[in-house]
Amino acid sequence: MSFASLGLSEPILRAVAQSGYSTPTPIQSKAIPVILAGRDVMAAAQTGTGKTAGFVLPLLQRLAGGAEVQANQVRVLVLMPTRELAIQVGESVAGYGRYLPLKSAVVYGGVKINPQMMKLRGGIDILVATPGRLLDLFSQNAVKFSRLETLVLDEADKMLDLGFNDEIQKILALLPKKRQNLLFSATFSDDIRQLTGTLLKNPVLLEVSPRNSAAGSVKQLVYEVDKNKKPSLLSHLVRNKDWQQVLVFCRTKKGTEQLVSKLKGDKISAAAIHGDKSQAERSRVLTDFKANKIRVLVATDIAARGIDITELPQVVNFDLPKVPEDYIHRIGRTGRAGSQGEAISLVNADEVKLLYAIESLLGRVLIREVVTGFIPHHQVPLSRQLKLGPKKPKKPKKSWR
């Protein structure tokens, strides 16, 4: 199948080709025709599946055939949970729409609001926004929604995890009732299904991978290690395995800074990104990491949502996530675009319940390994709750008379 066979116009096909893509991914093949037809969509797609182009391309085509946008109005609204993700999607919109006479913008908090207000004055065809800043702009009459045609909720699961439900409900109350709604989420939790019940109208359900599963191209390992030896083990693995581009997840902002200090002390180039960093600093660190100027990037879950590297070889869980679905998000940043990747988790005995929850979600026990010199005093036992391999047939009961 080609992009041309999906009914996209020549200007869009030219932009797609110049972006280096020739064959649509499964989510793109399924989503593009449905969105072009004007249907509501509820799509389950993991990070790295090409879902952004899956909704951007057909929306650009629908907009190109419509009326010109009016002052302060928005025709398509894309809500994102973080600044990094909003910027990333905004870049995709601008790139794929480079040959179309359409206007796009990205708005988010943490920067001055006046330049964003100025850009909205002439009207915007596609506005990518974080919820808080969007409500700020609306309160100052900088943006209007009476002519809105389509709402996109991307990374909807993370939006709810970050506590944006109230903001989403306020935004929904401002929008015209007659509109197209598109929801993309890595997982379909109960909260997501509750939200879609009121948001979507007769939606087309799209799933391109097994629910809550990890990509088969990712090799997953658990290194058992005592908590106080984790930083030293990470340094050992980076040096001895010659890892050149590693994304490491820590649970807290303080933890990211402490780990970066340790790595730098071991002569390993490293940097941290988290919510306390300025937008300019986070952007600079991400640029350096993508350019291989930084060997190890240590991040919290929220800050890492904007990281999009096609062939990231290693992802390390320095701390296991408290929510098992976040494990799927994390390791989804490696093993993309057909390349192989590794997801390594450094696990101590105190995290055993978190590990069991992840293994239960995956439906299998992860391979355990230990490294000479880092053998833990307290082992991480295998879960007895998970059934490994096929069930043995039960022996027939004897009949007693």
Side-chain angles (χ1 to χ4, degrees):
M1 178 179 287
S2 65
F3 282 101
S5 67
L6 296 175
L8 296 171
S9 64
E10 190 278 332
I12 294 175
L13 293 174
R14 197 177 355 144
V16 169
Q18 288 183 2
S19 299
Y21 302 111
S22 57
T23 305
T25 66
I27 187 63
Q28 292 164 1
S29 298
K30 293 182 177 182
I32 289 173
V34 175
I35 296 172
L36 282 175
R39 296 287 303 276
D40 279 15
V41 168
M42 179 178 180
Q46 296 176 12
T47 303
T49 57
K51 61 184 171 65
T52 300
F55 66 79
V56 169
L57 298 181
L59 289 178
L60 286 170
Q61 178 140 325
R62 283 172 62 84
L63 290 170
E68 186 176 348
V69 67
Q70 298 182 10
N72 292 104
Q73 292 285 353
V74 173
R75 297 176 65 195
V76 169
L77 173 63
V78 182
L79 287 180
M80 305 297 301
T82 69
R83 294 178 289 185
E84 287 80 10
L85 282 171
I87 291 169
Q88 184 179 311
V89 171
E91 289 173 350
S92 294
V93 171
Y96 294 131
R98 63 176 70 117
Y99 298 118
L100 296 172
L102 299 173
K103 294 182 285 187
S104 64
V106 184
V107 296
Y108 48 82
V111 296
K112 292 181 179 178
I113 197 170
N114 285 342
Q116 296 177 353
M117 294 175 67
M118 293 291 290
K119 192 159 189 179
L120 290 168
R121 281 187 178 179
I124 296 294
D125 291 290
I126 299 186
L127 179 65
V128 185
T130 54
R133 176 49 59 97
L134 183 70
L135 288 171
D136 290 341
L137 288 163
F138 181 82
S139 68
Q140 298 192 42
N141 296 315
V143 62
K144 300 176 182 178
F145 302 115
S146 59
R147 300 297 178 92
L148 188 82
E149 299 169 26
T150 303
L151 169 68
V152 182
L153 282 183
D154 196 10
E155 303 276 352
D157 51 337
K158 183 53 63 176
M159 200 102 69
L160 296 184
D161 287 345
L162 293 177
F164 283 127
N165 187 57
D166 288 345
E167 286 88 345
I168 291 172
Q169 296 303 328
K170 289 178 183 177
I171 292 168
L172 293 179
L174 303 174
L175 306 182
K177 295 193 182 306
K178 187 178 180 181
R179 64 178 190 267
Q180 183 182 27
N181 300 287
L182 312 176
L183 182 142
F184 289 80
S185 179
T187 58
F188 285 162
S189 64
D190 291 338
D191 288 339
I192 290 292
R193 293 184 180 277
Q194 183 176 354
L195 174 63
T196 58
T198 58
L199 174 68
L200 304 178
K201 299 172 184 175
N202 191 25
V204 177
L205 178 62
L206 304 177
E207 291 189 85
V208 297
S209 57
R211 187 179 175 186
N212 296 340
S213 68
S217 58
V218 179
K219 180 182 179 182
Q220 301 174 64
L221 293 173
V222 167
Y223 282 99
E224 298 183 41
V225 61
D226 289 331
K227 185 176 182 178
N228 63 338
K229 292 287 186 69
K230 279 189 180 186
S232 297
L233 176 56
L234 179 61
S235 287
H236 174 85
L237 292 172
V238 171
R239 287 195 302 262
N240 285 267
K241 292 183 176 292
D242 196 29
W243 291 344
Q244 295 301 318
Q245 194 181 43
V246 192
L247 174 60
V248 179
F249 285 95
C250 282
R251 191 176 299 129
T252 66
K253 303 171 198 174
K254 182 179 179 181
T256 65
E257 296 291 351
Q258 290 175 337
L259 184 55
V260 165
S261 295
K262 162 65 176 173
L263 292 168
K264 285 182 175 179
D266 292 340
K267 310 300 182 186
I268 297 171
S269 60
I273 59 168
H274 50 69
D276 287 348
K277 299 282 187 182
S278 69
Q279 180 59 40
E281 192 173 3
R282 291 159 81 169
S283 298
R284 178 184 58 77
V285 168
L286 284 174
T287 299
D288 288 347
F289 182 59
K290 291 180 180 181
N292 287 305
K293 294 179 181 178
I294 294 172
R295 195 170 177 181
V296 181
L297 179 62
V298 186
T300 55
D301 281 299
I302 295 172
R305 296 294 276 196
I307 297 172
D308 185 19
I309 301 172
T310 305
E311 296 182 3
L312 183 62
Q314 280 90 26
V315 168
V316 175
N317 294 296
F318 187 84
D319 299 314
L320 288 183
K322 290 186 177 180
V323 179
E325 284 82 5
D326 283 344
Y327 175 86
I328 305 295
H329 288 300
R330 290 180 176 187
I331 72 172
R333 284 168 176 75
T334 186
R336 296 186 181 186
S339 62
Q340 294 297 308
E342 281 187 305
I344 294 96
S345 299
L346 310 185
V347 181
N348 63 68
D350 293 339
E351 296 176 297
V352 67
K353 289 185 178 179
L354 298 176
L355 179 60
Y356 289 171
I358 290 166
E359 291 177 327
S360 178
L361 185 70
L362 297 172
R364 63 188 179 92
V365 171
L366 296 175
I367 299 170
R368 267 93 159 150
E369 291 191 3
V370 293
V371 177
T372 303
F374 298 91
I375 297 174
H377 290 97
H378 305 284
Q379 289 187 321
V380 180
L382 295 174
S383 172
R384 295 180 181 178
Q385 304 300 319
L386 286 171
K387 295 179 171 60
L388 304 180
K391 294 181 180 179
K392 293 182 180 179
K394 293 182 179 180
K395 293 181 181 180
K397 293 182 179 180
K398 294 182 180 179
S399 176
W400 298 95
R401 293 184 180 178

